[in-house]
Amino acid sequence: MAVDYNAFITEASIDGDDDGPLAGTTVAVKDNISTEGVATTCGSDMLADYVPPYSATVVERLTDAGARIVGKTNMDEFGMGTTTETSAFGPTRNPADPERVPGGSSGGSAAAVAAGEADVALGSDTGGSVRCPAAFCGVVGIKPTYGLVSRYGLVAYANSLEQIGPIAPTVAEAAAVLDVIAGPDPNDGTTRDPNATTDGDVSTDYAAAADGDVEGLTIGVPTELFDGADERVVETVEAAIDDLVAAGATTTTISLPSVEHAVEAYYVIAMSEASSNLARFDGVRYGHRAEADGNWNESFAATREEGFGAEVKRRILLGTYALSAGYHDEYYAKAQDARAWVRQDFEAAFETVDVIASPTMPVLPFELGESLEDPLRMYLADANTTPVNLANLPAISVPAGEADGLPVGLQLVGPAFEEATVIRAASAVEGE
Ligand code: GLN
């Protein structure tokens, strides 16, 4: 019998138009992206019965382009996790090794693609949630520049950090999905037209960029994003970078000293934003409502006690603390300073290099259950992905090879709105 990876929370069929660039393509959509008439749970008991009255812009664009939505995928509760084990609907298994996690938080989307249960998928990436599961499941994931893809209809976790991004078996297929979902949206005031925002002419023809041509490309290799990573991961990623050099690219060692503080800054900012964004789940406006006598405060507390899982509660508490009077300057303001420093480090690096290469994840996929007891260990696994969200940059994770039979991802980061450059470089890795 085929293994049940538990990639989907809800199987559904939302038909697309008869023709279009994605006609006949099946898409799995992460369950924090709204689908009209189809449950959107965010992997939480809080929203187990929530059915949105409208679809996210990205879903509309996919169906207009001919794609068919085949279901809503499993995820860490509200996107909070790196393994898909904090879901209220049970963990997803990794098709590359069913005893291991698929990564997270978009683990269901990556597993659906890796197992062939959908042609392509959408995830959301707040601190790595598209790239991590892509790396762990051996598929491709793109985290777009902040503002390239509409967040209208995405249930917010940490809105200043996150973007919806495609997951697919190949770079070209992921790029084709990006072509359809990218571009300004009147319903999301943070979206931008890439060419109105950058000085130069940036290509927005993403699928065409997957041509494998890296002749003359300069790749920055930051020592900080290799230090401390698993040896087997480092060897696999270095071999993929060697392949790029053989194809005509050059490498240069660079330093990003600020990234040492990225995970701390990311978690303070993400938890602070989450504490505010998740305040709306009060049993009145949305979601689960506990049976509670007494006043509104008691009903609010009982609803949230029942509706949220442990990781979500931990983050709301820490985020509320970080924003509270007297601690705000100590934590939140410092984290914002660190964020500015990370952005400057990347800007300086891109004066001399075209893309920055590193392992996507510093570790191989965890065994199921392994990291749940140790949240700090789970947070530290985000060391290489979170700096990119702090700096609002585009990045891709592309399979670099395998170590001990497990997939390893290479992360390529580019300057703002230069998705085409990271797509081109990633497609050369695939060609090897
Ligand atoms: N693992 C990170 C977190 O738990 C990233 C999650 C995400 O990108 N949604 O916050």
Side-chain angles (χ1 to χ4, degrees), residues 36-58:
E36 181 183 351
V38 175
T40 297
T41 69
C42 293
S44 180
D45 279 333
M46 183 61 93
L47 291 176
D49 300 318
Y50 173 63
V51 178
Y54 69 102
S55 286
T57 299
V58 291

Side-chain angles (χ1 to χ4, degrees), residues 22-41:
L22 297 180
T25 304
T26 56
V27 189
V29 175
K30 188 177 183 179
D31 211 20
N32 59 352
I33 298 173
S34 302
T35 39
E36 181 183 351
V38 175
T40 297
T41 69

Side-chain angles (χ1 to χ4, degrees), residues 2 4 9 34 40 42 100 128 134 142 146 175 184 212 218 239 251 266 274 284 307 315 338-339:
D4 178 5
I9 293 174
S34 302
T40 297
C42 293
R100 294 185 184 256
I142 299 175
Y146 189 78
T218 309
T251 59
Y266 166 80
V284 177
R315 295 191 187 199
R339 182 174 191 174

Side-chain angles (χ1 to χ4, degrees), residues 145-152 159-160 162-163 184-193 417:
T145 307
Y146 189 78
L148 184 69
V149 175
S150 170
R151 286 179 296 110
Y152 181 68
N159 47 284
S160 83
E162 59 210 4
Q163 279 284 291
D185 174 14
N187 285 324
D188 176 356
T190 63
T191 51
R192 293 284 173 269
D193 172 353
F417 294 107

Side-chain angles (χ1 to χ4, degrees), residues 250-281:
T250 53
T251 59
T252 171
T253 303
I254 60 168
S255 175
L256 298 170
S258 63
V259 299
E260 175 192 343
H261 305 287
V263 170
E264 288 95 328
Y266 166 80
Y267 274 98
V268 170
I269 294 168
M271 291 179 187
S272 297
E273 291 186 19
S275 73
S276 165
N277 282 323
L278 272 59
R280 73 192 64 171
F281 302 109

